[in-house]
């Protein structure tokens, strides 16, 4: 019960901070009737409503994962942080291939299959988002 209430309280505080930050967005001279503040305020409001539920009606005390599983979660977080840091340096394709490969391996794939999955995910996303949709992705030292 305590962990749900802590989660709900922290989430509610974060939602309040998010809404406050949304009210700080400067309005341009010519903007639409809703303005740029509306969408972030709506998102913050929905988040606040969602965080009230665990405060009012928490679940029974949760079963936390064993230490080995917590280390797996910490490794996944470390991989994602390293991915974000490597993205501007090595580019989207290489950073995504390595990160997706490592995460696939930790999710249970064999190393060869994980490497192939990482390359396939990376190239597939690059083709769809950059080549088909024309979105800009981080360029690496090879220009893609």
């Amino acid at each position: 019960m305590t962990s749900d209430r802590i989660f709900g309280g922290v989430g509610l505080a974060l939602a309040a901070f998010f809404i406050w930050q949304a009210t700080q967005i400067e309005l341009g001279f010519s903007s639409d009737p809703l303005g740029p503040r509306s969408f972030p305020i709506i998102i913050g409001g929905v988040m606040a409503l969602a965080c009230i539920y665990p405060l009012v009606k928490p679940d029974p005390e949760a079963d936390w994962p064993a230490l080995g599983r917590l280390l797996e979660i910490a490794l996944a977080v470390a991989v994602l942080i390293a991915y974000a840091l490597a993205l501007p340096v090595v580019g989207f394709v290489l950073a995504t291939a390595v990160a997706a490969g490592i995460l696939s391996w930790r999710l249970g794939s064999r190393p060869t299959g994980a490497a192939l999955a990482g390359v396939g995910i990376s190239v597939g996303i690059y083709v769809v988002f950059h080549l088909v949709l024309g979105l800009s992705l981080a360029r690496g030292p090879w220009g893609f």
Side-chain angles (χ1 to χ4, degrees):
M1 293 178 97
T2 306
S3 59
D4 278 0
R5 288 201 167 120
I6 291 171
F7 174 75
V10 169
L12 197 58
L14 187 61
F17 178 74
F18 191 78
I19 291 170
W20 174 68
Q21 284 294 306
T23 63
Q24 304 302 311
I25 295 173
E26 292 185 29
L27 297 176
F29 177 69
S30 64
S31 63
D32 60 60
L34 288 176
R37 296 178 183 166
S38 301
F39 185 70
I41 290 173
I42 291 169
I43 296 296
V46 170
M47 182 177 171
L49 288 174
C51 290
I52 290 173
Y53 185 81
L55 286 172
V56 175
K57 196 170 181 178
D59 287 336
E61 201 57 45
D63 293 330
W64 286 91
L67 180 62
R69 288 289 179 205
L70 288 175
L71 291 175
E72 287 285 338
I73 293 168
L75 175 67
V77 170
V79 166
L80 292 174
I81 290 171
Y83 172 69
L85 295 173
L87 200 56
V89 177
V90 299
F92 177 82
V93 175
L94 181 60
T96 302
V98 171
I102 292 171
L103 293 175
S104 296
W105 171 58
R106 295 314 311 147
L107 286 171
S109 295
R110 293 184 204 155
T112 307
L116 291 173
V119 170
I121 289 168
S122 175
V123 171
I125 292 173
Y126 180 81
V127 166
V128 170
F129 284 95
H130 185 69
L131 300 179
V132 175
L133 297 176
L135 299 175
S136 178
L137 299 173
R139 291 185 182 266
W142 304 286
F144 58 85

